Amino acid sequence: MKLDFSKIFRKLSPKANRIYHDKNRLNSLIKEGMKLLFSNKAFADLIDDIKIALQLIKSYYKGEYRAVSKKNIIMIIIGFIYLVNPMDVVPDFLLGGFIDDAAVFAYIIKLIHNELASFTLWKSKLDLNESTIEVDEEDYEID
């Protein structure tokens, strides 16, 4: 199975742009996606980075952290759109159906790694008690 990431991004970018401008739709998308992420072992190696990406989105929408490009926020949203779509390259109801979803998220994390590192550094400078950013399954809502 070979994924065409650029085709996936082109196809989902218009929807991601609409969701970017609609906090209610973004919250619904993230809520649905988080249920899948936390209940699926395919994302075990990615969950920490995805949690940081979600914290970045929250801080962005709260106006606390603006040193992130819209393009990278859109990329994270695309990851969630792809995740919640049960009929993607490998339908999610099939055995191993989340492998392609994990590959898309891994690719996105790789592309925005520097952005996540910058955000983590910024967050650590706020003198947080912990060096990692915790996002619980229930802590996904964008205010």
Side-chain angles (χ1 to χ4, degrees):
M1 167 187 69
K2 183 171 176 169
L3 292 173
D4 185 344
F5 294 108
S6 60
K7 182 178 178 182
I8 291 168
F9 293 152
R10 276 192 314 274
K11 179 181 176 187
L12 297 179
S13 285
K15 185 173 185 175
N17 270 297
R18 289 188 301 274
I19 291 172
Y20 172 88
H21 294 289
D22 185 340
K23 281 187 188 179
N24 290 330
R25 286 182 69 193
L26 180 59
N27 280 323
S28 295
L29 175 67
I30 291 173
K31 181 178 182 179
E32 189 176 348
M34 291 304 288
K35 288 178 186 174
L36 293 169
L37 286 170
F38 281 104
S39 65
N40 196 302
K41 293 179 183 178
F43 300 98
D45 292 340
L46 301 170
I47 199 71
D48 289 338
D49 287 329
I50 294 171
K51 286 178 181 180
I52 292 169
L54 285 174
Q55 189 63 42
L56 183 149
I57 288 176
K58 283 182 70 168
S59 293
Y60 175 80
Y61 278 95
K62 286 181 175 182
E64 299 169 343
Y65 184 77
R66 303 303 278 185
V68 59
S69 69
K70 177 182 175 184
K71 176 185 153 202
N72 286 339
I73 297 290
I74 295 293
M75 299 262 291
I76 297 166
I77 294 170
I78 286 171
F80 277 94
I81 293 170
Y82 192 86
L83 172 65
V84 302
N85 179 4
M87 298 303 292
D88 45 38
V89 173
V90 179
D92 295 341
F93 58 83
L94 295 177
L95 183 62
F98 285 99
I99 298 298
D100 61 317
D101 302 75
V104 168
F105 258 115
Y107 186 74
I108 290 168
I109 295 300
K110 180 180 175 184
L111 290 176
I112 67 168
H113 176 75
N114 289 339
E115 195 91 70
L116 296 178
S118 295
F119 173 73
T120 303
L121 180 62
W122 172 82
K123 203 67 165 150
S124 69
K125 288 181 180 179
L126 293 178
D127 198 28
L128 292 177
N129 293 333
E130 298 180 46
S131 62
T132 59
I133 299 167
E134 294 295 325
V135 178
D136 295 326
E137 184 174 356
E138 299 300 318
D139 188 26
Y140 49 77
E141 192 160 322
I142 309 301
D143 297 326

